[in-house]
Amino acid sequence: MSNALQRDLERLVARVEREDGPQAAADPRRQQYHLMPPVGWLNDPNGLCRCGDWYHVFYQYGPFDVTGGVKHWGHYRSKDLLHWEALPVMLYPDQPWDIHGVYSGSALVEDGVMYLYYTGNVKHAGDYDYIKAGRGHNTALAVSRDGVTVASNTLLMENRDYPNGLTCHVRDPKVWAQDGKYYMVQGARTLDDQGQLLVFESTDKVNWTFLQVLKTPRPFGYMWECPDLFCLDGQWFLLCSPQGVPHEETRFQNVYSCGYFPLYGDFRGEYSLGEFVEMDLGFDFYAPQTFQDGTRRLMFGWMGMPDADYTNPTVDSGWQHCLTVPCELRREGDRLLRLPAVEVTALRGAAIAPETVKVFDLEAYTQSSGRMVFRNAAVLEWQEGLVTLSFLQGGAGRTVRRVALERLHTLRVLGDSSSLEIFLNNGVETLSTRYYPQPEAQGVCVSGAEVRVWEMGAMQVTKAEI
Ligand code: FRU
């Protein structure tokens, strides 16, 4: 199914990728083992799933504007999370209900068919605040039988179909099947500026009934973006990215937050939410999404932050942002631990001296205090009670992030050309950040730790000829 607007957009995307792609590809800050946009802008991971032999990763893609622009669903697929095919854009803003952006959403896979639920963004012309008026946030369903093209696209719900008392901001459907039914959660902002989730139920994937609201007893931010709700090892978790949570010294240090509540009881009836735990304490982590892969739950996040006051100099080369590596979530009581998926380890080459690395995987046993300097740019320091991440240079406006931690025992750091993903105590806390060392800068200087370091190979990303 394609329409004239889609065909025009297809040609425009192909042209901008052809014309601007080489400049982006030549940037020394281009990542070796993280998914990036070919050109332009990337934000949230969308529609993560496994369909047959393929993992699919869609992402919010702004091909025409390095600072955002109108969102499409970019598309990668892989059989092993290491060799990727870049596929044509899956969803274009080509319907009346998504004309100003195909916003975030999720995938449900059933009998080899992919059901992609997303938010269609529409901004009406006029003098509006676009919060309480002037914006349509529509829930839509695109169906794909081959995992590469869209067979049908249907509008399911508009703002008037959502409960009363909400602003126009209702978005980011996450859908799953359970007990012979289908469930959907969406993030919402109320008229009195409280973040919450809406739960819907369906028997046919198309007609949805509102069930109830999930919220905290006391307000927690004004909007909850990109919700996810899943059961891991017997415990339910509500993952979301709340906006408007007040900053603290060692928590909620970013402009917007991202984390989870343990959910007790039943999300369809009596429930309560436990204490919110941040998913990452670095500068650049937002809007993660999880999916079930056999017995494990995998997650990708966006290694970026909306409206941040720090920047990414890659903008000069016509591209911005990347996804995190795939991570596996494990449960420990009411907490989630997060570690790189085992596949990432397969990119390790030879073990080498820390003084010579640029793109690396590092494991360390740490003494009670110590310090590491990465490529003469980023500094990680730890002592009893506190871990800090700061920059000698190359932070591009990033300052300091603090983690309250009784004692650091182990450390794993994935370093790519322009990012660090830091896992403390086997994934109890993590810090993800972009950084921009001098291209020739190399080496990790270590004190207070015993380290092993491997050089990392590049993921293979090829353009699919379809
Ligand atoms: C989160 C978000 C989502 C929205 C999308 C638009 O980063 O704001 O709520 O669907 O990005 O690109």
Side-chain angles (χ1 to χ4, degrees):
M1 185 213 64
S2 78
N3 58 30
L5 179 53
Q6 176 181 333
R7 287 191 293 277
D8 284 352
L9 287 169
E10 252 170 44
R11 274 197 296 276
L12 286 174
V13 173
R15 186 196 295 170
V16 76
E17 289 184 357
R18 199 173 52 242
E19 287 177 359
D20 297 355
Q23 191 200 3
D27 184 354
R29 298 162 290 208
R30 203 76 182 151
Q31 299 272 57
Q32 299 297 309
Y33 60 95
H34 289 83
L35 293 173
M36 296 164 283
V39 296
W41 162 279
L42 166 150
N43 58 301
D44 318 349
N46 294 150
L48 303 179
C49 64
R50 186 161 183 173
C51 186
D53 288 342
W54 293 101
Y55 292 100
H56 291 265
V57 171
F58 301 94
Y59 60 92
Q60 288 285 285
Y61 181 26
F64 307 123
D65 184 345
V66 73
T67 61
V70 177
K71 304 298 164 52
H72 301 47
W73 273 33
H75 191 185
Y76 285 108
R77 73 175 178 186
S78 169
K79 287 189 172 162
D80 59 5
L81 300 174
L82 296 172
H83 301 81
W84 293 91
E85 279 183 19
L87 290 162
V89 163
M90 189 66 155
L91 296 171
Y92 293 89
D94 59 358
Q95 305 292 333
W97 55 84
D98 62 21
I99 203 74
H100 298 118
V102 182
Y103 274 13
S104 285
S106 60
L108 172 80
V109 176
E110 202 176 66
D111 302 328
V113 179
M114 219 187 252
Y115 298 85
L116 302 175
Y117 293 88
Y118 70 92
T119 299
N121 181 51
V122 175
K123 283 177 99 170
H124 301 291
D127 184 19
Y128 296 116
D129 68 354
Y130 296 105
I131 298 170
K132 291 187 176 160
R135 185 190 292 274
H137 269 176
N138 305 304
T139 308
L141 167 61
V143 178
S144 175
R145 299 185 190 286
D146 59 5
V148 178
T149 56
V150 171
S152 67
N153 193 337
T154 316
L155 173 64
L156 301 181
M157 290 188 273
E158 304 172 66
N159 287 81
R160 61 164 178 249
D161 301 314
Y162 308 139
N164 293 333
L166 302 176
T167 62
C168 308
H169 287 230
V170 174
R171 59 178 175 267
D172 311 334
K174 178 81 199 287
V175 174
W176 70 98
Q178 188 184 331
D179 305 331
K181 291 194 173 148
Y182 304 97
Y183 293 95
M184 174 194 287
V185 283
Q186 301 228 41
R189 173 174 182 167
T190 63
L191 286 171
D192 57 354
D193 286 332
Q194 293 189 29
Q196 55 176 227
L197 294 199
L198 311 177
V199 184
F200 298 87
E201 186 181 73
S202 170
T203 52
D204 62 3
K205 302 186 279 291
V206 173
N207 295 289
W208 292 86
T209 310
F210 170 67
L211 275 190
Q212 71 165 340
V213 161
L214 300 178
K215 60 179 185 183
T216 43
R218 272 177 295 140
F220 187 74
Y222 61 79
M223 169 70 192
W224 294 2
E225 295 192 299
C226 296
D228 199 343
L229 187 61
F230 56 88
C231 186
L232 186 62
D233 198 12
Q235 174 63 50
W236 282 86
F237 293 96
L238 188 169
L239 177 66
C240 64
S241 297
Q243 299 180 304
V245 178
H247 302 302
E248 295 176 15
E249 181 73 4
T250 56
R251 300 201 309 165
F252 313 124
Q253 296 161 90
N254 288 333
V255 54
Y256 304 132
S257 312
C258 171
Y260 58 89
F261 302 95
L263 182 144
Y264 312 108
D266 188 344
F267 68 90
R268 295 164 290 198
E270 292 286 311
Y271 76 93
S272 66
L273 299 179
E275 205 194 327
F276 186 82
V277 182
E278 277 178 285
M279 197 75 224
D280 192 284
L281 292 158
F283 293 88
D284 299 283
F285 186 86
Y286 199 67
Q289 188 178 85
T290 74
F291 69 108
Q292 196 66 30
D293 176 35
T295 54
R296 61 181 180 168
R297 187 154 282 267
L298 294 181
M299 181 178 84
F300 283 84
W302 170 30
M303 220 189 311
M305 178 58 57
D307 304 328
D309 55 6
Y310 34 93
T311 61
N312 295 301
T314 60
V315 168
D316 300 340
S317 300
W319 70 285
Q320 188 169 197
H321 298 310
C322 65
L323 298 181
T324 64
V325 292
C327 284
E328 182 175 344
L329 297 180
R330 301 249 172 91
R331 173 192 170 198
E332 197 173 81
D334 281 355
R335 303 246 342 193
L336 290 170
L337 308 186
R338 166 175 155 223
L339 281 172
V342 297
E343 283 85 344
V344 175
T345 312
L347 292 171
R348 283 181 182 172
I352 52 170
E355 294 77 27
T356 58
V357 287
K358 274 189 183 175
V359 173
F360 60 87
D361 187 354
L362 174 153
E363 285 183 359
Y365 290 105
T366 48
Q367 294 161 13
S368 56
S369 66
R371 182 172 198 257
M372 282 187 196
V373 180
F374 301 96
R375 298 178 64 197
N376 201 30
V379 185
L380 187 77
E381 284 167 296
W382 61 94
Q383 61 193 62
E384 264 162 48
L386 189 69
V387 177
T388 59
L389 172 65
S390 59
F391 298 89
L392 300 173
Q393 56 181 309
R398 290 161 182 81
T399 51
V400 62
R401 288 293 175 265
R402 300 185 175 85
V403 183
L405 191 72
E406 216 171 281
R407 165 82 159 87
L408 183 67
H409 299 281
T410 64
L411 193 60
R412 176 149 179 211
V413 183
L414 292 175
D416 204 337
S417 312
S418 54
S419 70
L420 296 169
E421 284 156 293
I422 302 170
F423 302 85
L424 309 179
N425 289 351
N426 275 316
V428 169
E429 302 287 3
T430 58
L431 297 114
S432 301
T433 191
R434 299 302 298 280
Y435 82 140
Y436 302 94
Q438 296 298 318
E440 65 286 354
Q442 59 178 35
V444 184
C445 289
V446 180
S447 64
E450 201 184 299
V451 298
R452 282 190 301 168
V453 185
W454 297 265
E455 197 164 19
M456 286 293 261
M459 282 186 332
Q460 204 186 79
V461 182
T462 50
K463 202 163 160 56
E465 296 307 329
I466 285 181

